[in-house]
Amino acid sequence: EVQLVESGGGLVKPGGSLRLSCATSGFPFTDAWISWVRQAPGKGLEWVGRIKNKGSGETRDYLAPVKGRFTISRDDSENTAYLQMNSLNTEDTAVYYCTWQSMHDFHHWGQGTLVSVSS
Amino acid sequence: QSALTQPASVSGSPGQSITISCTGTSSDVGSNNFVSWYQQHPGKAPKFMIYEVSKRPSGVSNRFSGSKSGNTASLTISGLQAEDEADYYCCSCVDTPYVFGTGTKVTVL
């Protein structure tokens, strides 16, 4: 069974940092592309960033508003992906989902972890 | 890149068919067949429902079907059931930045 389990969310002050983890099982993680997608309260889905597999150079791409503040990484030995978020602001408040994607769709999703940025 | 446009809400009675539109431009929806659809129940993670405009992943009911004409993709739910009440999102997932639709709330009357 494919599983993606996010953790690390919580309440953080503006300007603070947080590191989310996405622990996976049930699929060949080393070959997988992983994206992070977020959903602000009462709002729609917003793609945040993606990391390709090692064979594709572990290329990272980001949504413009988070570029330079967010960093996606992966540990293939632990089947885990990470989202390091720095310089957080109130607009980053959302549920963050990690997803196992193909080139053109998001076929498996984690349950999400809530990040709240507030003073 | 702007979000794809979906109607805010669509409703139907049990057993009826409804269609949700997803309108983009000739640069996204109109230029390829990489449109996917996701269902999201309240408080739950999205679920993958349709890929490459009209293909269904294993396990998804054949009551769900997808199509595309020009710059508009569509998701049709046939034989509407109470469990279909949820939010639905399309995605033009050609390349980054991936762009989702604005979302449609489906209500079963």
Side-chain angles (χ1 to χ4, degrees), chain A residues 42-55:
Chain A
K43 303 296 185 183
L45 302 174
E46 181 177 54
W47 174 81
V48 172
R50 178 202 66 197
I51 185 167
K52 294 183 179 180
N53 57 15
K54 191 172 184 178

Side-chain angles (χ1 to χ4, degrees), chain B residues 7 12 15 21 24 27 29 35 40 44 46 48 51 56 59 69 81-82 87 91-92 98 104-105:
Chain B
S21 61
S27 299
V29 174
V35 175
Q40 187 181 34
K44 301 294 187 181
F48 182 45
Y51 67 104
R56 271 189 313 275
S69 178
Q81 298 180 1
D87 294 326
C91 181
S92 173
Y98 299 119
T104 297
K105 181 176 180 58

Side-chain angles (χ1 to χ4, degrees), chain B residues 56-95:
Chain B
R56 271 189 313 275
S58 173
V60 172
S61 170
N62 59 9
R63 298 186 299 103
F64 292 84
S65 61
S67 62
K68 193 187 85 164
S69 178
N71 298 337
T72 298
S74 298
L75 174 72
T76 298
I77 309 175
S78 305
L80 199 61
Q81 298 180 1
E83 67 205 48
D84 301 331
E85 188 161 291
D87 294 326
Y88 292 82
Y89 295 90
C90 60
C91 181
S92 173
C93 292
V94 180
D95 201 353

Side-chain angles (χ1 to χ4, degrees), chain A:
Chain A
E1 181 193 4
V2 172
Q3 286 196 318
L4 300 97
V5 180
E6 303 93 337
S7 61
L11 177 62
V12 61
K13 289 182 167 50
S17 298
L18 215 52
R19 187 199 199 201
L20 307 183
S21 299
C22 172
T24 75
S25 60
F27 65 97
F29 182 81
T30 53
D31 295 332
W33 292 12
I34 300 294
S35 268
W36 288 88
V37 176
R38 68 184 179 184
Q39 187 170 36
K43 303 296 185 183
L45 302 174
E46 181 177 54
W47 174 81
V48 172
R50 178 202 66 197
I51 185 167
K52 294 183 179 180
N53 57 15
K54 191 172 184 178
S56 299
E58 287 192 14
T59 304
R60 298 162 174 82
D61 293 286
Y62 299 96
L63 184 69
V66 310
K67 201 168 184 180
R69 299 190 298 123
F70 289 12
T71 302
I72 300 175
S73 61
R74 61 191 297 153
D75 184 340
D76 288 352
S77 68
E78 295 290 334
N79 294 336
T80 300
Y82 302 95
L83 178 64
Q84 176 68 44
M85 304 184 293
N86 299 331
S87 302
L88 285 161
N89 58 60
T90 55
E91 294 177 351
D92 297 317
T93 293
V95 173
Y96 284 74
Y97 298 98
C98 68
T99 72
W100 172 26
Q101 65 162 107
S102 69
M103 285 186 71
H104 301 296
D105 46 64
F106 307 98
H107 45 79
H108 289 84
W109 296 66
Q111 86 288 351
T113 187
L114 176 63
V115 172
S116 295
V117 184
S118 174
S119 54

